[in-house]
Amino acid sequence: MAKKTFERSLQELEGIINKLEQGEITLDDTIKKYKQGMELANACANMLKEAEQQISIYEGNEFIPFNGGGNV
């Protein structure tokens, strides 16, 4: 099975959030969706961290690792 892309994982997470916000599912389903959502959120955070580690900024004649610098 292929690894999910960030975009696909984020889309699934948004779908789960919408279902939870509607409040029309059972408590058991709410718990399951919440757990799935947390797994997807963690996977997205990990993918972002990996991407950040791959980004470099060219300064002068030297590549330096990107340190974030923004609110994520």
Side-chain angles (χ1 to χ4, degrees):
M1 184 161 87
K3 183 177 177 181
K4 287 184 187 177
T5 64
F6 174 81
E7 293 79 11
R8 179 69 182 142
S9 295
L10 188 58
Q11 185 179 31
E12 285 183 37
L13 180 56
E14 288 171 346
I16 289 171
I17 291 169
N18 288 334
K19 279 193 178 283
L20 292 173
E21 286 178 342
Q22 290 173 2
E24 297 177 4
I25 57 176
T26 66
L27 179 59
D28 287 340
D29 286 340
T30 298
I31 292 168
K32 288 177 189 174
K33 291 291 182 192
Y34 178 81
K35 288 179 181 179
Q36 287 175 339
M38 290 304 298
E39 289 173 7
L40 286 167
N42 288 332
C44 286
N46 288 335
M47 285 186 258
L48 286 174
K49 188 173 185 172
E50 288 174 19
E52 184 178 274
Q53 291 172 351
Q54 295 177 25
I55 297 173
S56 296
I57 299 174
Y58 186 71
E59 233 177 62
N61 293 329
E62 177 181 348
F63 279 103
I64 57 172
F66 178 69
N67 65 1
N71 295 332
V72 178

